[in-house]
């Protein structure tokens, strides 16, 4: 359901032995894929837990999981993400968060019940050092994040796991799961089928994003100012707010296309007669989705850098005052989760080597610049290209970051077997 609200609670394990004992009572309520896929067993509220390296250490698990980015923690990784940490929530600065639990439901009373059940069982074995509540957006914005874009359209699927949708990336199981095909690292056998998760709290400056688009409307004659500003935002993302890809709907939104899973991923940026190294009339090289999943821009297509994304908005709707002043006053954004088997090939790779890299994807007729949604270079001014289809090689200096990181942590999301191993050793 899109109508989900969730709580993410970052915890410190106070009493390791007590935590292990109590977790045995929580395990039957963990939301596995099998339970979630079967409508007869789907619970009204879900519960998941993941542990950081310092959490595993605290629980006496010292096996080498062979991911140094995970073991160092996200705070130490900030320079690789070209990220300043002065905007980080203080609890994320360092390695003091041992784990996170996520409860989710589409009914607020079920969510409250689930939370109090977790708190009752785990009791004083943990201390909640930080928690944040996600909230699906209301009405026709359900499933859309705060900038207004429909999210969760494009995800990779695992080889042999059902029939892929047209255009959907198919990856070996080991891209997402430790110890499976094409996970190239050696892992302890108990960790098989677990994943690493990059959790990020990403603040979004919505009124500022809108002001920027209003100030940089695409210059298509006959288009209203509002339409031209929508087009600028669509070219920054590579999709319209409806989800329709600009590669298939370059000038006007096509909501039926956006909503159609048989068509909304069935594109690859190439067209008959198109020169892939210079033509940005449909989609800028730097658009968020093109930077993250370049499709035929990379030849041969590289399937090694896919992540499974799960995001939920947090914070209130934009207020009248914020809209009019063009300034964010209340914090809102996206609680972002990236799942993969190797953080250096997944989340960190995408942020460091593609999103933030002005030369990627290349070689092209012009330097693509940064992903205007997520690109960052340690607080320095960013540039991007191709916002205006009438001037596709045009270069724009962005006035600010529209997304500001509040930090996060890297976690191991254990399989049930792995969790049993952790709490029984
Ligand atoms: Fe991005 N957004 O909600 O506006 N993203 N993202 N993302 N993103 C995508 O295709 C967004 C972020 C990817 O397969 C869509 O499902 C926002 C980070 C990848 O073609 C939308 C933020 C990273 C894809 C957004 C944010 C990624 C993708 C289109 C920050 C990785 C799939 C909907 C606040 C490091 C691309 C869809 C493909 C798509 C949004 C962050 C990665 C709407 C607001 C940090 C791999």
């Amino acid at each position: 359901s899109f109508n989900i609200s969730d709580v993410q609670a970052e915890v410190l394990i106070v009493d390791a032995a007590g935590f292990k004992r109590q977790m045995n009572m929580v395990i039957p309520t963990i939301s596995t894929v099998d339970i979630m896929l079967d409508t007869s067993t789907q619970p009204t509220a879900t519960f998941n837990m993941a542990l950081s390296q310092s959490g595993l250490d605290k629980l006496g698990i010292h096996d080498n999981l062979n991911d140094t980015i995970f073991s160092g923690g996200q705070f130490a990784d900030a320079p690789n993400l070209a990220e300043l940490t002065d905007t980080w929530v203080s609890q994320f600065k360092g390695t003091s968060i041992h784990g996170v639990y996520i409860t989710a439901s589409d009914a607020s009373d079920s969510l409250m019940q689930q939370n109090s059940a977790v708190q009752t069982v785990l009791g004083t074995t943990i201390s909640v050092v930080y928690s944040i509540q996600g909230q699906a957006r209301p009405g026709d914005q359900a499933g859309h994040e705060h900038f207004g874009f429909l999210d969760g359209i494009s995800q990779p699927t695992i080889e042999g796991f059902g029939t892929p949708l047209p255009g959907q990336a198919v990856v070996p199981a080991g891209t997402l799961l430790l110890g499976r095909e094409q996970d190239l690292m050696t892992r302890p056998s108990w960790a098989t089928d677990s994943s690493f998760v990059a959790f990020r709290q990403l603040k979004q400056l919505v009124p500022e994003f809108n002001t920027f688009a209003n100030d940089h409307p695409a210059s298509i004659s006959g288009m209203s100012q509002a339409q031209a500003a929508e087009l600028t935002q669509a070219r920054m993302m590579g999709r319209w707010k409806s989800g329709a890809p600009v590669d298939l709907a370059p000038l006007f939104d096509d909501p039926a296309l956006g909503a159609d899973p048989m068509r909304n991923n069935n594109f690859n940026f190439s067209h008959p007669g198109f020169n892939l190294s210079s033509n940005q009339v449909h989609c800028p090289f730097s658009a968020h989705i093109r930077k993250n999943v370049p499709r035929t821009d990379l030849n041969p297509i590289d399937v090694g850098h896919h992540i499974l994304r799960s995001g939920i908005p947090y914070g209130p709707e934009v207020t009248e005052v914020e809209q009019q002043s063009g300034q964010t006053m209340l914090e809102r954004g996206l609680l972002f989760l990236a799942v993969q088997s190797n953080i250096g090939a997944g989340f960190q790779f995408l942020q460091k080597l593609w999103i933030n890299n002005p030369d990627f994807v290349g070689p092209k007729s012009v330097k693509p610049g940064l992903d205007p949604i997520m690109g960052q270079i340690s607080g320095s001014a960013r540039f991007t290209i191709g916002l205006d289809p009438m001037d596709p090689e045009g270069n724009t200096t962005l006035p600010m970051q529209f997304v500001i990181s509040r930090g996060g942590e890297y976690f191991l999301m254990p399989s049930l077997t792995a969790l049993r191993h952790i709490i029984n050793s």
Side-chain angles (χ1 to χ4, degrees), residues 32-312:
T32 60
V33 174
D34 292 347
I35 292 174
M36 295 308 291
L37 287 180
D38 181 347
T39 45
S40 68
T41 52
Q42 266 171 12
T44 51
T46 65
F47 171 80
N48 282 291
M49 169 157 286
L51 295 158
S52 67
Q53 180 65 64
S54 59
L56 291 175
D57 291 345
K58 175 85 184 184
L59 296 174
I61 305 292
H62 301 298
D63 295 346
N64 183 3
L65 285 166
N66 233 334
D67 191 311
T68 52
I69 301 171
F70 163 73
S71 56
Q74 196 173 113
F75 184 60
D77 199 32
N80 290 318
L81 308 175
E83 184 152 309
L84 300 176
T85 53
D86 52 342
T87 54
W88 278 38
V89 170
S90 61
Q91 289 89 334
F92 289 129
K93 296 184 182 183
T95 55
S96 59
I97 287 174
H98 293 152
V100 59
Y101 67 76
I102 303 171
T103 54
S105 177
D106 55 7
S108 58
D109 51 346
S110 305
L111 185 68
M112 270 164 55
Q113 268 171 26
Q114 176 74 311
N115 276 323
S116 61
V118 172
Q119 273 150 26
T120 307
V121 177
L122 295 180
T124 52
T125 69
I126 58 167
S127 150
V128 174
V129 291
Y130 180 63
S131 84
I132 180 147
Q133 168 131 33
Q135 186 66 58
R137 298 195 50 221
D140 66 357
Q141 289 301 299
H144 294 243
E145 51 65 65
H146 277 291
F147 287 146
F149 295 99
L150 182 62
D151 202 0
I153 304 168
S154 176
Q155 298 277 26
T157 182
I158 290 183
E159 251 162 33
F161 197 79
T163 312
L165 292 164
Q168 187 173 22
V170 180
V171 298
T175 303
L176 304 177
L177 301 173
L178 272 65
R180 290 289 171 189
E181 305 72 36
Q182 297 294 314
D183 172 17
L184 302 176
M185 308 305 282
T186 307
R187 319 286 187 179
S189 62
W190 61 261
T192 300
D193 287 342
S194 306
S195 297
F196 290 115
V197 174
F199 168 70
R200 309 269 285 155
Q201 179 177 338
L202 298 170
K203 175 178 170 181
Q204 292 173 261
L205 304 185
V206 181
E208 290 82 349
F209 181 64
N210 291 337
T211 302
F212 171 77
N214 287 329
D215 291 346
H216 295 81
S219 57
I220 307 276
S221 63
M223 207 176 245
S224 72
Q225 156 81 21
Q227 276 178 321
E230 281 274 304
L231 177 53
T232 299
Q233 292 186 331
R235 288 178 69 84
M236 293 168 87
M237 177 55 69
R239 289 188 188 271
W240 294 87
K241 289 182 178 170
S242 71
V246 294
D247 194 43
L248 300 180
L251 286 184
F252 297 97
D253 191 6
D254 180 350
L257 167 63
D260 183 352
M262 298 304 284
R263 294 191 292 143
N264 62 15
N265 267 312
N266 202 12
F267 62 95
N268 61 22
F269 305 119
S270 79
H271 299 274
F274 244 51
N275 182 344
L276 203 59
S277 67
S278 60
N279 198 320
Q280 304 181 79
V281 171
H282 286 214
C283 184
F285 300 140
S286 59
H288 179 68
I289 66 161
R290 194 163 183 173
K291 279 276 197 179
N292 275 289
V293 181
R295 303 177 195 231
T296 43
D297 283 325
L298 288 185
N299 189 10
I301 289 177
D302 185 346
V303 294
H305 305 295
H306 283 283
I307 54 175
L308 198 71
R309 291 168 302 127
S310 162
I312 183 155

